[in-house]
Amino acid sequence: MSPEEKRECILRGVPASPGIAIGRVHLMVQREPQIMARKLAPSEVPLELGRFDQAVAETRNSIERSRERALDVAGFLVGKIFDAHLMILDDVTFHDQVRSRVTKEQFNADYIVCDVLGRMIEMMTRSAGELFRERAADIRDVRDRLLRHLHGEGDVIPAHPTHEVILLAVDLSPTEALHLDRELVHGIATDQGGLTSHTAILARSLDIPTIVGVGDITNRAKDGDSIVLNGNSGKIVLNPTSASLEEYRAKQERFRGFKLALENLKDQRATTLDGREIELWGNIELPREAESVLSHGGSGVGLFRSEFLYLTRETTPTEDEQFEIYDRTAEILAPFPLIIRTFDLGGDKFHAGIVSRDEKNPFLGYRAIRVSLSRRDLFRAQLRAMLRASSRGNVKIMFPFVTGVEEIVEARAVLDEAKSELARRRIPHDPNIKVGIMVEIPSAAVIADRLAGICDFFSIGTNDLVQYTTATDRGNEQVAAYYRSFHPAVLRLIEMTSKAGDGAGIPVGVCGEMGGNPAATPLLIGLGIRELSMTSSMIPEIKKIIRSMTFEECRKITRKAMKMNTSSDVLAYLREELKKRFADLPIWFSGA
Ligand code: PEP
Ligand code: MG
């Protein structure tokens, strides 16, 4: 190797998972599958179709195993990636195409599978949107798995390192990323992928420092090269000089110290320097995530998205099944609170027989409390299950998607019926269970003062509040630039809600993404918010911020932010304030 090639070289990508990794390059070789077309005799066709069916069945089992592993090691969001893979595998059009082409063209199934999915991958890769490119990566992952089963190779995941390395790849499929050995892979860098790519999500869950979208790192680096990867900034130093190595070793040490300090905060309260107490809670979708909230130093669950009980199965969960889940989760958390949100089906969450996909405007349609109020049977069963769990645990009920007084009055009436039923049957429950609402629709925020009198608490759902205030579909990438979390109108609605809660003496929290966004922390506290509920992994950082600032400081920052005209001005200002105080904080800013 010439000295020229070994010269230090700086590359940049998108920081996708925090931390600093120093080590040797391992290039992960990923080849496009080489499939030969083989002409079949007409008599071989039925056999070939059977071979396809069997490979699909084996692939389904294999994806389900990955899904289980993902749920175990990385949680529900990552598990969902593999749900999407199952949908791709079981797509009826895909099956029809393969079957009819094998029958008509009389070629082997591997060749047809590769061709059908290859065309889809190509079309999506060419598309401008990141979502489509991610989908292409998922289809590629399913294709490769299916081909492995068609070739009788089973679950082999190729080309993983066997010694300690920094892994470089063009892109990593979710399956490849999921099966990485955390002990051996100290860092990841990929040519492709964005912050929301599945590799990035997985890497964050596995806590591996990662940079994506580097461009052509796999061409520039060689196996065994020395490399430094800064997952906090997105900077990569290839063949670092000894001075650079020293600099990064010191940074790595500082970062480790910082992480350790965060861990040590676990049992500390989230109290500002001048004594204002803030509750830090976790958002969960599965009961088992409650443990992670506690291990991250959270003091309860501010949002249990109970609709996931529906989304993870095809049948409707019974009252007893729900009771068991709520009771178990409350038991894990006790004495801390568990706020269970009643089903929020609809919008982008569908369930056969209850909410179908064929609405014109699902986000403005049959969703959440509207479904509950029209399906009293399901609603009452859920409320009974929650009430029963409240006899032993600190359970609270929260209604989503409330537009005004009417829904609260109606829902409370159903709750009273459920209480009477239980009382009649002498089933223990807490008759004074606390009942709150999500403030996530602008109409509710605007009349929060009227709603405060009939609620025990408010929880602001900023994800939907931003969507409905800015008229921007939260899942539509084409208009993502309009989804402005720090839009002055959104901030005013939060302020109104907070003041209304304060006036009525009821607690107000935030459980949307903003609750776990470090940039928003001083602002929300300055606006009077007392409870923040978030992905549990964010709890330590948010706690650190709170414990390092005074309430007065937060109020000062808030006063200034509230005078700004645009979301980007507010965000830039908040970032700057945070940077001044926490230079080492690997802050994951979201929304503009
Ligand atoms: C919200 O809307 O902010 C929220 C927390 O609920 P979801 O994201 O489940 O709609
Ligand atoms: Mg919502």
Side-chain angles (χ1 to χ4, degrees):
M1 213 158 283
S2 74
E4 179 67 13
E5 276 174 299
K6 289 289 177 190
R7 199 184 288 164
E8 176 174 294
C9 143
I10 308 284
L11 301 165
R12 284 183 194 279
V14 181
S17 175
I20 292 167
I22 302 173
R24 297 272 165 194
V25 166
H26 174 87
L27 280 168
M28 185 157 160
V29 185
Q30 298 155 304
R31 290 192 190 87
E32 280 294 294
Q34 300 297 312
I35 304 292
M36 303 292 277
R38 185 170 60 83
K39 195 74 184 163
L40 306 172
S43 61
E44 285 180 291
V45 167
L47 224 63
E48 191 63 6
L49 292 177
R51 200 167 72 86
F52 171 67
D53 288 341
Q54 190 186 336
V56 167
E58 286 169 8
T59 306
R60 190 178 301 116
N61 287 338
S62 150
I63 297 177
E64 269 161 8
R65 281 196 294 277
S66 289
R67 184 176 172 279
E68 276 308 301
R69 180 178 160 85
L71 286 174
D72 270 352
V73 302
F76 190 79
L77 273 181
V78 177
K80 263 171 63 173
I81 297 174
F82 294 94
D83 283 335
H85 286 199
L86 286 171
M87 278 171 70
I88 296 168
L89 180 74
D90 287 328
D91 183 74
V92 181
T93 325
F94 163 58
H95 283 230
D96 287 351
Q97 267 182 311
V98 172
R99 301 184 76 79
S100 80
R101 284 190 54 189
V102 168
T103 311
K104 273 198 212 120
E105 297 171 28
Q106 301 185 346
F107 278 117
N108 49 330
D110 354 10
Y111 170 70
I112 303 287
V113 163
C114 215
D115 192 54
V116 170
L117 294 181
R119 280 166 203 254
M120 276 164 74
I121 292 167
E122 205 185 309
M123 194 179 74
M124 290 193 173
T125 313
R126 265 194 272 115
S127 138
E130 194 180 317
L131 274 184
F132 283 104
R133 287 199 296 275
E134 261 170 49
R135 181 128 177 102
D138 286 324
I139 298 174
R140 189 177 292 118
D141 198 350
V142 173
R143 177 197 66 185
D144 292 350
R145 210 192 275 250
L146 179 54
L147 287 174
R148 281 201 296 274
H149 284 281
L150 272 165
H151 296 160
E153 291 165 13
D155 265 343
V156 185
I157 312 285
H160 276 172
T162 51
H163 52 282
E164 295 186 19
V165 295
I166 310 276
L167 190 82
L168 305 189
V170 174
D171 201 359
L172 271 187
S173 72
T175 309
E176 286 164 339
L178 181 68
H179 292 273
L180 290 177
D181 185 341
R182 179 72 193 85
E183 297 297 309
L184 297 180
V185 178
H186 292 187
I188 302 172
T190 59
D191 291 342
Q192 299 171 0
L195 196 57
T196 55
S197 70
H198 287 158
T199 314
I201 294 171
L202 255 156
R204 279 197 288 281
S205 307
L206 298 170
D207 200 18
I208 302 177
T210 297
I211 301 178
V212 295
V214 190
D216 63 346
I217 187 158
T218 52
N219 279 331
R220 302 176 71 155
K222 308 240 169 330
D223 261 329
D225 275 356
S226 169
I227 186 170
V228 170
L229 187 153
N230 186 346
N232 304 339
S233 68
K235 189 168 160 186
I236 290 174
V237 189
L238 198 54
N239 299 313
T241 59
S242 43
S244 295
L245 263 181
E246 211 170 299
E247 179 194 332
Y248 276 94
R249 285 215 175 95
K251 270 196 180 159
Q252 192 178 40
E253 249 346 277
R254 274 208 307 279
F255 185 70
R256 280 193 187 136
F258 171 75
K259 292 264 284 187
L260 207 68
L262 288 190
E263 269 167 40
N264 291 340
L265 286 183
K266 186 174 166 278
D267 299 320
Q268 310 279 337
R269 297 282 305 152
T271 310
T272 62
L273 290 171
D274 47 359
R276 191 167 172 91
E277 293 244 347
I278 308 294
E279 292 297 336
L280 296 189
W281 292 333
N283 293 348
I284 64 168
E285 275 110 31
L286 292 174
R288 63 179 112 174
E289 290 171 312
E291 277 156 20
S292 164
V293 173
L294 297 181
S295 68
H296 282 93
S299 55
V301 163
L303 170 64
F304 179 6
R305 291 182 162 102
S306 72
E307 63 276 9
F308 281 87
L309 300 180
Y310 273 88
L311 298 173
T312 48
R313 50 189 282 165
E314 274 163 24
T315 51
T316 306
T318 64
E319 176 186 329
D320 282 347
E321 282 168 339
Q322 290 183 59
F323 163 66
E324 256 177 49
I325 287 168
Y326 303 151
D327 187 54
R328 184 154 35 97
T329 315
E331 193 184 355
I332 295 171
L333 291 166
F336 295 129
L338 167 64
I339 299 182
I340 309 175
R341 175 174 78 182
T342 57
F343 302 134
D344 183 2
L345 291 169
D348 58 355
K349 294 174 236 163
F350 310 98
H351 189 266
I354 301 176
V355 183
S356 73
R357 287 173 192 272
D358 50 14
E359 255 185 276
K360 277 222 176 90
N361 267 316
F363 272 123
L364 299 181
Y366 188 55
R367 179 183 170 188
I369 194 76
R370 298 176 185 180
V371 179
S372 297
L373 289 174
S374 78
R375 289 295 308 265
R376 299 284 167 108
D377 51 335
L378 300 178
F379 193 31
R380 258 200 308 272
Q382 177 168 39
L383 293 173
R384 280 195 306 266
M386 290 170 164
L387 281 164
R388 285 166 60 190
S390 73
S391 74
R392 302 192 318 153
N394 185 358
V395 173
K396 302 174 201 237
I397 297 176
M398 178 155 75
F399 299 130
F401 209 57
V402 167
T403 63
V405 170
E406 295 88 338
E407 293 100 315
I408 304 175
V409 171
E410 258 190 84
R412 273 190 174 277
V414 184
L415 178 65
D416 286 340
E417 285 166 25
K419 282 182 195 169
S420 308
E421 281 168 33
L422 291 179
R424 255 198 322 274
R425 286 156 49 203
R426 295 184 194 284
I427 297 178
H429 64 279
D430 175 6
N432 301 315
I433 191 166
K434 296 272 184 270
V435 179
I437 61 161
M438 299 225 20
V439 178
E440 55 183 344
I441 298 180
S443 63
V446 172
I447 59 159
D449 56 335
R450 313 266 172 92
L451 307 184
I454 48 174
C455 295
D456 297 318
F457 62 89
F458 285 153
S459 183
I460 304 175
T462 50
N463 305 341
D464 277 312
L465 190 61
V466 174
Q467 153 164 275
Y468 295 116
T469 306
T470 64
T472 308
D473 179 342
R474 59 195 262 192
N476 183 345
E477 206 206 344
Q478 212 174 356
V479 292
Y482 292 90
Y483 188 90
R484 297 179 174 124
S485 304
F486 295 87
H487 191 298
V490 174
L491 303 188
R492 280 191 193 171
L493 291 174
I494 296 175
E495 185 178 37
M496 287 171 82
T497 309
S498 176
K499 280 190 175 152
D502 218 29
I506 63 168
V508 182
V510 168
C511 66
E513 284 302 301
M514 223 171 171
N517 181 346
T521 308
L523 174 74
L524 294 176
I525 290 176
L527 284 172
I529 301 298
R530 293 283 197 145
E531 301 152 353
L532 298 172
S533 196
M534 63 201 76
T535 312
S536 47
S537 61
M538 287 310 298
I539 292 173
E541 265 170 63
I542 303 288
K543 197 183 268 187
K544 165 93 179 160
I545 295 171
I546 292 171
R547 289 177 57 85
S548 316
M549 296 181 79
T550 62
F551 179 49
E552 257 332 292
E553 246 181 304
C554 295
R555 300 229 312 172
K556 209 164 138 203
I557 290 173
T558 302
R559 275 196 294 275
K560 197 159 167 194
M562 293 302 281
K563 290 198 183 115
M564 295 182 170
N565 288 331
T566 67
S567 183
S568 44
D569 283 352
V570 175
L571 185 57
Y573 167 62
L574 293 174
R575 281 177 176 175
E576 198 187 303
E577 286 297 318
L578 220 51
K579 240 187 192 159
K580 269 196 239 163
R581 295 171 174 82
F582 309 97
D584 279 344
L585 202 65
I587 290 161
W588 300 97
F589 296 112
S590 62

